[in-house]
Amino acid sequence: MTLSTLTWLFAAGFAIWYWWRAKAIKDYVLATARDYCRRMDVLLLDDAVYLRGLWFKRDRQGRLRVWRRFMFDFTTTGEERYLGRVIMLGQQVEHIELEAHRFQ
């Protein structure tokens, strides 16, 4: 096996690992958003969240973590769409926020 082959295998393995990990995080955020919407008495639309920001930030202990901002759509009346945000730092949800919206 050559060094070039090992490099390509490592790159492919890393890409698969990253995809798998990103999917697990997205599934966790979706479940969190779904639960938060239920508690706030709003309806999560499209049953989906999407990544809108990715950065590196330090946590309270000073360790470098991946910062992610996920967005989702929700409604209260079934007519208007509003935005919600989930902020994650590392594997912890830091903040969930719903855009100002009308109540039913």
Side-chain angles (χ1 to χ4, degrees):
M1 209 177 264
T2 66
L3 185 58
S4 175
T5 304
L6 285 175
T7 302
W8 281 109
L9 284 174
F10 176 76
F14 179 77
I16 291 168
W17 172 82
Y18 179 80
W19 175 81
W20 186 292
R21 189 71 193 128
K23 174 128 177 52
I25 290 170
K26 188 174 180 180
D27 291 344
Y28 174 71
V29 170
L30 177 60
T32 301
R34 191 180 297 129
D35 182 53
Y36 187 77
C37 286
R38 186 179 42 77
R39 285 186 283 128
M40 295 295 118
D41 199 27
V42 298
L43 180 64
L44 177 68
L45 295 175
D46 306 327
D47 203 35
V49 294
Y50 45 96
L51 183 66
R52 280 288 144 201
L54 184 69
W55 200 249
F56 293 100
K57 290 191 176 183
R58 295 197 180 272
D59 62 9
R60 291 188 175 109
Q61 289 78 30
R63 294 178 297 216
L64 196 60
R65 300 285 184 194
V66 178
W67 177 91
R68 297 174 181 92
R69 180 178 64 213
F70 289 90
M71 309 291 278
F72 60 91
D73 294 322
F74 71 95
T75 187
T76 57
T77 63
E79 295 176 9
E80 297 95 3
R81 293 176 87 94
Y82 301 100
L83 281 177
R85 293 167 194 80
V86 177
I87 304 296
M88 289 195 66
L89 187 59
Q91 297 180 16
Q92 301 296 320
V93 172
E94 289 285 304
H95 183 71
I96 301 177
E97 173 180 288
L98 299 178
E99 192 175 66
H101 57 279
R102 285 198 291 168
F103 293 101
Q104 296 179 2

